[in-house]
Amino acid sequence: MKSLRFLIVTIGLVCLIPGVPLSSRAQQTISIDNAETAIGIDVYPARGNLLFIWLPPEGGFHSIHTKTAQRLADQDIEVWLVDLFEARFLPPVASSLAQIPATDVHSLLNAASQSGKNVLLVSSGRGILPLLRGAHLWQRLQPADTTFKGTVLISPQFYIETPEPGQAAQLLPVVRSTNLPLFILQPHLSPWLWKLEQTVPALQHGGSDVFVQILPEVRDRFHYRPDATPEEQALAEDLASLLIQAGTLLNRLPAKPRRVIPLNEPTLATKEGKQERRLNAYHGDPQPPALALPDMQGKRHSLQEYQGKVVLVNFWASWCPPCVHEMPSMQRLADKLDPDGFTILAVNMAESEATIQQFLQTKVQIEFPVLLDRDGAALKRWGVFAFPTSYVIDKQGKIRYALFGSVEWDSDAMLSTFTTLLRE
């Protein structure tokens, strides 16, 4: 992460004032009109000079958003919760975000600028797409404005989609054209953590000032996951404090002229719905990157040592539910195939040995080696974008198949594929 201009590695929470009831400020609803639609706004009013416009992530708002908005209002920060899906009669799914025009966010910023308050935009996940596009339009049309202070992005996803293994990832076009103060709240247990070395310089390319705060022991969507851990539940309860800290920093930055980078944005073709995961032929460089890592017992394993065998290389983490789901089927696959011709190398993503040991003792029972990628170097060499990601190496040491996401590895179709490889 040395390429980052700013990196905040600790959480300094701003404590909420005790004794202030959440119901002390009444929620309001207003509507603004632009040329195409009326946009309803749930307003959580406050007396302070800072206003957050909070846009929905893919999937829409959850109860934690309204709870946090009220807590911010109780701390004298006004919040506008704006359901742009509802305004456009769109289903709350990721593919709808590309259909929300930049003019909607521009209209919101225009209305907020008339409040006399300093304004910040907030969103998370893939909800940053309409946010960044709207902010870009606002800067282009209102270059002298000083009320818009920047954005707070929670678990942002800056790529058009997760690429298939071996394929190049494409940043959202607006990323390199963005010139804003940006505060990123980045969960530590996330594949996107490992992409900051690419995404932060891309944002800085446009002139953005980028601040990053790493949130330890939590995953993406930590504030509204149905399977949230105690650590995630606790941090979700402190989300208002995180936003206050980020907003205070951005609000205090001195204003400066910001060049607007032209945005040439083709139509974004986002895949509809959840895609069925299957083992596909690999279309990248068939020569696998280097892989030489120690296992839990300290024995070093090199992929080159397994030439002549079919090898399943699986990148995983204990905090990843799909990884946990598929591991038993990986063991069943290994049990059904000739151990002299087949092996599995499970590469763990930078977790401590104690964490891995606890996981193996309580969650799954496997016999194949777990390799320790302590600094994520192997993950970067192999271009892993999602957990789990798996590669199938043939007897000649070439990558033949790959996929991201979990599958049932001992299905009839999988057994047929591996049996064919073993016979070659």
Side-chain angles (χ1 to χ4, degrees):
M1 307 295 175
K2 292 182 179 179
S3 64
L4 303 185
R5 182 179 298 169
F6 301 103
L7 178 61
I8 304 171
V9 295
T10 59
I11 300 177
L13 296 181
V14 181
C15 294
L16 297 175
I17 299 174
V20 179
L22 295 182
S23 59
S24 62
R25 299 179 189 276
Q27 177 188 340
Q28 303 172 1
T29 300
I30 64 174
S31 178
I32 63 172
D33 294 321
N34 63 22
E36 300 176 3
T37 189
I39 302 174
I41 305 170
D42 289 335
V43 177
Y44 296 77
R47 295 182 296 269
N49 74 335
L50 193 59
L51 188 160
F52 284 175
I53 301 176
W54 201 334
L55 307 181
E58 68 275 24
F61 288 124
H62 295 74
S63 60
I64 189 62
H65 295 102
T66 56
K67 182 187 294 186
T68 303
Q70 186 63 70
R71 286 176 170 171
L72 288 167
D74 288 337
Q75 293 297 297
D76 275 337
I77 295 176
E78 185 164 323
V79 180
W80 293 3
L81 284 186
V82 188
D83 191 341
L84 294 176
F85 295 117
E86 183 177 87
R88 288 283 166 182
F89 302 99
L90 294 169
V93 294
S95 58
S96 294
L97 292 166
Q99 301 178 52
I100 297 173
T103 51
D104 284 6
V105 179
H106 179 274
S107 297
L108 291 167
L109 286 169
N110 185 58
S113 70
Q114 299 172 33
S115 70
K117 301 186 179 188
N118 291 333
V119 180
L120 293 167
L121 289 172
V122 183
S123 193
S124 61
R126 297 193 179 279
I128 69 165
L129 173 58
L131 181 154
L132 293 179
R133 294 160 86 186
H136 184 275
L137 179 62
W138 174 260
Q139 286 183 310
R140 182 165 63 84
L141 299 180
Q142 277 81 20
D145 173 75
T146 59
T147 61
F148 178 35
K149 296 297 184 178
T151 73
V152 183
L153 309 178
I154 309 167
S155 307
Q157 296 188 29
F158 293 111
Y159 293 88
I160 294 175
E161 61 185 5
T162 302
E164 294 295 332
Q167 302 301 303
Q170 292 183 295
L171 285 166
L172 294 167
V174 72
V175 170
R176 294 179 66 84
S177 295
T178 291
N179 187 352
L180 291 169
L182 301 164
F183 196 111
I184 297 173
L185 294 169
Q186 175 59 57
H188 182 259
L189 304 181
S190 164
W192 306 112
L193 171 73
W194 303 97
K195 304 305 174 186
L196 288 177
E197 291 183 354
Q198 290 81 48
T199 54
V200 169
L203 290 164
Q204 292 173 334
H205 172 269
S208 292
D209 303 298
V210 185
F211 301 84
V212 179
Q213 181 164 332
I214 306 300
L215 308 178
E217 302 304 319
V218 299
R219 298 169 289 176
D220 294 323
R221 307 183 307 281
F222 68 92
H223 48 308
Y224 60 90
R225 294 185 71 99
D227 63 342
T229 65
E231 291 82 6
E232 290 165 342
Q233 293 172 1
L235 196 59
E237 290 298 312
D238 279 327
L239 182 57
S241 298
L242 293 173
L243 292 173
I244 291 171
Q245 175 177 276
T248 299
L249 184 150
L250 295 177
N251 193 37
R252 290 175 178 172
L253 289 178
K256 66 179 183 181
R258 291 187 178 273
R259 181 171 60 100
V260 180
I261 307 298
L263 175 58
N264 181 17
E265 191 171 46
T267 301
L268 298 178
T270 305
K271 294 178 181 177
E272 296 285 343
K274 192 172 182 179
Q275 305 299 308
E276 180 185 354
R277 305 314 308 163
R278 58 169 62 92
L279 196 60
N280 294 317
Y282 186 71
H283 296 297
D285 183 353
Q287 184 64 41
L291 184 66
L293 296 169
D295 63 18
M296 294 289 290
Q297 290 71 45
K299 178 183 176 183
R300 196 166 184 82
H301 296 252
S302 171
L303 184 59
Q304 290 182 332
E305 298 170 4
Y306 292 92
Q307 192 147 344
K309 283 190 172 187
V310 175
V311 184
L312 172 58
V313 178
N314 174 262
F315 289 87
W316 71 283
S318 68
W319 46 262
C320 160
C323 302
V324 178
H325 174 79
E326 74 171 358
M327 269 194 162
S329 70
M330 292 167 62
Q331 183 60 58
R332 293 194 298 268
L333 174 68
D335 292 340
K336 294 176 180 179
L337 297 177
D338 179 5
D340 293 329
F342 174 75
T343 195
I344 297 172
L345 299 177
V347 182
N348 178 267
M349 291 297 94
E351 294 184 272
S352 70
E353 293 183 45
T355 298
I356 300 169
Q357 192 63 49
Q358 174 72 10
F359 171 79
L360 295 177
Q361 290 174 352
T362 60
K363 299 293 185 181
V364 299
Q365 294 183 341
I366 57 173
E367 298 175 5
F368 47 83
V370 171
L371 309 188
L372 307 177
D373 186 19
R374 294 188 175 97
D375 59 0
L379 174 148
K380 295 173 186 176
R381 284 195 300 272
W382 286 68
V384 174
F385 261 80
F387 299 151
T389 291
S390 301
Y391 301 84
V392 178
I393 318 296
D394 66 17
K395 291 182 178 181
Q396 289 71 46
K398 305 298 183 183
I399 304 177
R400 292 283 292 277
Y401 301 97
L403 84 159
F404 71 84
S406 66
V407 294
E408 290 298 314
W409 287 99
D410 62 334
S411 68
D412 290 343
M414 287 291 187
L415 281 169
S416 176
T417 296
F418 282 97
T419 299
T420 299
L421 288 175
L422 287 168
R423 289 173 178 169
E424 290 181 349

